[in-house]
Structures are given as structure tokens and as C-alpha cells.
Amino acid sequence: MAEVSELASILELEPIELDMFRAQTPAGAGSRIYGGQVVAQAMAAAYRTIDDGRLCHSMHGYFMRPGDPKTPILFQVERVRDGGSFAVRRVVALQNGKQIFNLAASFQTPEAGFEHQFDMPAAPAPDTLLNEEELRAKAGLDPASRRIWPVEVRPCDPQEHGQTLALPPLDMCWFRARVSLGDDVILNQCALAYGTDMTLLDVSLRPHAVNWDSGRLQVASLDHALWFHKASDFSQWHLYVQDSPSASGGRGFNRGSIYGPDGALVASATQEALIRFR
């Protein structure tokens, strides 16, 4: 049950003042805080100020400084507007008096309306694929030498360890929370947000035959945006369809479409990332 405890602790915020919350980073997080963690915690902080059943339909965030995993994060929420159907919140994440991330999120009272979506593309079934830990073991590497994330990822087209082929800027993987999150829509949204930053940057590097172990590669998420179309149970397998239409100026632009197990398009993501050699 360690994964449940980790994900729950990530999203469990401590109220310390009106519209201000404190969050911690789990042990073993590395030298800097994973971006998806800050996104999910900022969403959770914004949700603490929404009490009328509205759900997040979009969020846009900017990463400004690397987060220190040894230092608590303070989240200051600004209640920008509460309208008849929509509410808007601004969230600033602070460490040592400096902003490391800010987020704007919009929430809507659920309602019926027009519906259409792109169909989910064909993909290998997740039970026919290996997860990241199994792929490392297959390559003769110690799976425990890297962090075991609370979100499990199974690549649809895994590359051999150390392979540096130039590939199309397209990729797909299945991902899910390792243990059930229950039917809480808010918890599932925040957990999904956490997972969307795990692989999205990588797709912009695929055409460039990058050797991750060269020691020269510098990468970081610069911004992250999400649109939530439908509620879903993130403990079930979701297909993450990713592409990168452009890279220029030391930045890669990435997009993602997230499909639930029934083929429903439940969320969309975009991200620009720093990708350059030192």
C-alpha cells in the first residue's frame, strides 16, 4: 500500500492560513521536485477554495524555478471570480519566499451540452506490455536503482536501453495510478494531472537521437496546460497519445490526448519544455 500512501500524502495539504496551504515532497524524490507533483498540489490547493460542486475544466501553469524536495511548498490561492457557472482561481507556489510555479484554473458547474471527440487510436493492450521497471530489469539494470513512481507507465513502443535512433515525434503509453483512488472526481483529476508530466517532454526528443546518459542534455518543463473533458477513474488504464509538432529555440512543444478505458477522451494536455545540450 506504499503507493497509496505516497499519492495521498502528495495531495494532502495542510491549511496554515486563509487560502494558504503547505505541502511536502515524499522522500527519495531526487535533487529537484517533479513538475507533475507541483501541478497536482496546486490544483488540490485551488480545489480547497471551491465548495459548490464545480469541477476543474482547464488549468494553465508556468514553472519558474526548480523546487527543493527538502523544503515544504506554500500554496497561496487567490479567489479571482465566482460567477454563476464558472469560478477562477490563481495559485502561487512558494519556497524560501520565491515563486517556483504559478497556476490559473477555471472550474465549472457540471452541465450537459454538445458532444464530439476524436476516436481513440489503436494501441497494444496494456496487459501485453511491460512497465518501466520491467523494461529496466529486461535490460539487465536494477529496477530499484530508480524511483518507483505512484503512477505506473507502460510504453507502447519501448526503445532498447541506450538506443539512440531518430524516431518520429509521436508516442503512446498506457498509464494509471498503481492502486485504486476510489470514485472521488477531484482526487482522480489531481492524480491524472500528476501523471501527465511524466512522459510528455520525451516525445520532443524522439527525432533527435538523444543519448540521455551523455551528461550534456538539459531538460525541464517550462509550462503545462490541461483540459478536463470528462470524469474518469485514474486507477484504470488510460492511453496517453503524444506528439510534438515543433522544436525550435531550445524548446520542444508537446501535445497529449488522454483516453479512458472505454475510449472516451477524458483530458488533453500541452507543454513546452526546455531541450538543449549544455
Side-chain angles (χ1 to χ4, degrees):
M1 299 294 287
E3 296 86 4
V4 171
S5 299
E6 179 177 336
L7 198 51
S9 67
I10 286 168
L11 297 174
E12 185 60 43
L13 309 182
E14 176 191 359
I16 59 172
E17 184 53 87
L18 180 64
D19 297 344
M20 181 174 280
F21 307 90
R22 178 162 47 210
Q24 306 290 337
T25 299
S31 60
R32 64 182 184 181
I33 297 174
Y34 161 60
Q37 173 192 318
V38 187
V39 171
Q41 289 173 330
M43 274 189 61
Y47 259 123
R48 291 291 191 96
T49 69
I50 302 288
D51 56 8
D52 56 3
R54 300 184 208 213
L55 296 175
C56 183
H57 68 90
S58 70
M59 57 125 289
H60 303 258
Y62 282 92
F63 299 96
M64 289 167 286
R65 292 179 176 86
D68 179 359
K70 298 182 178 63
T71 302
I73 311 171
L74 297 181
F75 292 92
Q76 177 68 63
V77 182
E78 179 185 356
R79 303 184 188 224
V80 178
R81 180 176 185 269
D82 287 283
S85 299
F86 292 86
V88 177
R89 297 291 185 265
R90 231 181 245 119
V91 184
V92 177
L94 300 156
Q95 281 190 321
N96 300 314
K98 295 181 179 179
Q99 295 188 26
I100 65 168
F101 177 76
N102 64 41
L103 173 136
S106 181
F107 301 79
Q108 181 188 14
T109 302
E111 63 180 81
F114 300 110
E115 289 198 20
H116 73 269
Q117 69 162 71
F118 286 172
D119 290 338
M120 184 171 75
D127 58 5
T128 67
L129 301 170
L130 301 179
N131 65 24
E132 291 181 325
E133 297 76 45
E134 292 166 336
L135 289 168
R136 286 184 59 77
K138 181 181 177 182
L141 303 171
D142 179 7
S145 64
R146 290 193 179 179
R147 179 182 179 187
I148 305 298
W149 296 88
V151 171
E152 181 181 6
V153 176
R154 296 192 180 186
C156 292
D157 181 27
Q159 304 305 302
E160 295 292 333
H161 181 74
Q163 191 175 37
T164 56
L165 297 176
L167 301 166
L170 307 166
D171 201 12
M172 295 192 298
C173 66
W174 293 94
F175 68 153
R176 66 177 179 181
R178 290 186 185 268
V179 184
S180 177
L181 298 165
D183 57 4
D184 186 322
V185 175
I186 295 172
L187 179 59
N188 278 279
Q189 274 194 347
C190 292
L192 177 62
Y194 176 97
T196 56
D197 189 42
M198 293 181 68
T199 59
L200 192 53
L201 181 154
D202 301 11
V203 70
S204 60
L205 294 171
R206 284 171 65 88
H208 306 291
V210 170
N211 180 355
W212 283 83
D213 298 325
S214 68
R216 296 180 56 216
L217 184 64
Q218 183 180 13
V219 298
S221 302
L222 297 174
D223 61 13
H224 200 81
L226 283 168
W227 292 263
F228 297 97
H229 311 307
K230 294 184 177 180
S232 68
D233 176 1
F234 190 50
S235 62
Q236 303 299 312
W237 285 115
H238 286 58
L239 182 66
Y240 201 1
V241 181
Q242 302 157 97
D243 66 21
S244 178
S246 170
S248 61
R251 305 179 316 276
F253 175 64
N254 309 293
R255 304 182 300 191
S257 297
I258 300 144
Y259 294 88
D262 60 354
L265 181 64
V266 301
S268 300
T270 61
Q271 181 187 86
E272 193 171 44
L274 177 70
I275 53 168
R276 67 184 178 200
F277 281 121
R278 293 187 179 89

